[in-house]
Amino acid sequence: MIRFYSLIALIFVLLLAGCLEQRTSPGDDIIASVSGENLSMQQAVDQIPTFLLQQDTLNAVYTYAGQWAQRRVMTNHARRIGIQNTPDFQEKLNRYHDELLEQMLREFILNEHRGQLEVTTEEAQNYYQNYREQLRLGERFVRFRHLTTRTRAEAESANRDLANGVDWEDVVEQYSVDPEYQLRHSTQFWPISMALADKPALHRNLQILGLSERSPIHFFGGQYHLLQKMEEKTEGEYPDLDWLIPQIQEWLKLEKARRITNAYLRNLYLQADANNEIELLNVSEIEQLLTQ
């Protein structure tokens, strides 16, 4: 009987220790709450970029919690006044939903073929040797800053910082969803016809920006985008070899990605057409409808 009670006591102690461990786990602690919706420490840490946590963990978590609470207050109020039920909201929601599906499908395609996207220095050099006469700039080349953020508030803050003279490197480190890539990208020149060609609204805006001019904030693919044109090489100039080889690598990689994606999507369309999933009026029928 004594052994039985000792066993019960041991189980109780173990359960209590487990409960205490669970209660004191920092990841489970609630750091913000709005109308019964909670934000835990772990949820915040999972969403905050690693470099911000490394720079100042306390400030990063505190700032994120405040932004989270502000967003919850705004979205809760929007729901209460019925914005989600308006035709305009539903139309935009459907458009963003479709854009995100398209973007993620393209990402899926490239991820499935990532081994085919690498471009070696040797490939770039061979390209240069074969086309060096044609590499005299046949169109405008631009170097620009492209910042992508998770929220509009971050994009607006970044825009203000740039206007106030904050260093680009600091702005990227604080707000970008991919600081390393966007810093590297901002040092390269791109043919105006290829720059952001996969993001039509940004591509069009880049073509009309003046030097040092910043674009309006664009929403695309579930993220917010800000552009700033920094340099431009006019048609007819000869490019510097220092940036030409790395640039050729980027062009060839982009071309490979475009070719792979287009082939995949073309086969997808042909298969849907063969299965009679597509109904499309011809030009004459559409013209007749337009003239009615």
Side-chain angles (χ1 to χ4, degrees):
M1 182 64 70
I2 294 176
R3 289 182 178 177
F4 174 77
Y5 283 115
S6 298
L7 180 60
I8 294 297
L10 178 60
I11 293 173
F12 177 76
V13 170
L14 291 174
L15 288 174
L16 180 61
C19 291
L20 288 174
E21 182 180 356
Q22 184 177 11
R23 287 179 59 192
T24 57
S25 173
D28 295 328
D29 289 340
I30 302 302
I31 61 173
S33 179
V34 176
S35 301
E37 186 176 356
N38 298 325
L39 174 69
S40 71
M41 177 68 77
Q42 190 60 55
Q43 288 173 320
V45 170
D46 288 344
Q47 293 297 317
I48 299 172
T50 303
F51 71 90
L52 288 180
L53 291 171
Q54 292 173 344
Q55 288 177 357
D56 188 342
T57 305
L58 175 59
N59 184 61
V61 172
Y62 178 75
T63 300
Y64 181 84
Q67 292 173 343
W68 178 89
Q70 184 178 21
R71 289 195 299 269
R72 295 286 79 72
V73 169
M74 292 175 62
T75 55
N76 288 345
H77 179 71
R79 291 189 187 95
R80 282 196 298 271
I81 63 177
I83 287 180
Q84 74 278 14
N85 299 321
T86 62
D88 188 45
F89 177 86
Q90 293 299 325
E91 180 183 350
K92 290 180 179 178
L93 181 62
N94 291 335
R95 185 167 68 250
Y96 296 155
H97 177 269
D98 289 346
E99 286 181 359
L100 184 58
L101 282 175
E102 290 180 19
Q103 178 191 356
M104 296 195 69
L105 174 60
R106 293 177 184 275
E107 291 173 359
F108 170 81
I109 295 169
L110 295 180
N111 187 57
E112 289 292 300
H113 297 83
R114 58 183 178 275
Q116 304 174 37
L117 296 176
E118 295 304 317
V119 178
T120 65
T121 303
E122 184 179 1
E123 284 183 87
Q125 291 172 339
N126 289 338
Y127 183 91
Y128 172 75
Q129 291 297 329
N130 292 332
Y131 298 99
R132 57 183 177 180
E133 291 303 321
Q134 292 92 326
L135 285 174
R136 183 175 179 176
L137 302 184
E139 61 176 309
R140 287 188 298 148
F141 275 59
V142 292
R143 183 175 68 83
F144 61 97
R145 297 168 173 177
H146 176 203
L147 183 72
T148 305
T149 68
R150 291 180 176 84
T151 68
R152 186 175 187 88
E154 289 176 327
E156 291 173 346
S157 296
N159 195 22
R160 284 194 298 271
D161 285 354
L162 289 173
N164 292 330
V166 177
D167 287 343
W168 167 243
E169 291 78 5
D170 295 334
V171 172
V172 173
E173 287 295 334
Q174 183 169 357
Y175 300 109
S176 173
V177 298
D178 192 348
E180 183 179 349
Y181 171 76
Q182 295 202 310
L183 276 174
R184 185 175 70 253
H185 185 280
S186 66
T187 65
Q188 299 169 340
F189 282 86
W190 295 84
I192 193 65
S193 62
M194 295 177 65
L196 299 174
D198 57 334
K199 301 176 178 62
L202 277 70
H203 175 71
R204 289 192 296 270
N205 197 201
L206 182 62
Q207 297 187 58
I208 61 175
L209 283 179
L211 290 182
S212 299
E213 188 177 356
R214 298 183 307 280
S215 72
I217 294 170
H218 295 269
F219 182 79
F220 180 82
Q223 296 174 326
Y224 294 86
H225 302 263
L226 176 67
L227 305 176
Q228 185 178 26
K229 184 185 289 186
M230 301 308 298
E231 287 187 74
E232 183 170 305
K233 291 182 178 293
T234 58
E235 182 179 350
E237 289 187 44
Y238 286 96
D240 299 326
L241 194 60
D242 290 342
W243 64 265
L244 184 58
I245 294 299
Q247 192 66 60
I248 289 174
Q249 288 180 286
E250 292 288 343
W251 299 340
L252 293 179
K253 185 175 181 178
L254 182 61
E255 185 58 33
K256 285 184 178 183
R258 186 175 297 168
R259 189 166 58 247
I260 289 170
T261 302
N262 288 345
Y264 186 104
L265 297 178
R266 184 170 59 253
N267 290 335
L268 196 65
Y269 186 91
L270 292 174
Q271 182 178 352
D273 192 34
N275 294 336
N276 296 319
E277 298 173 16
I278 301 173
E279 294 183 7
L280 185 65
L281 296 182
N282 60 40
V283 174
S284 299
E285 291 171 322
I286 293 176
E287 182 181 17
Q288 184 177 0
L289 289 175
L290 288 173
T291 57
Q292 287 180 354

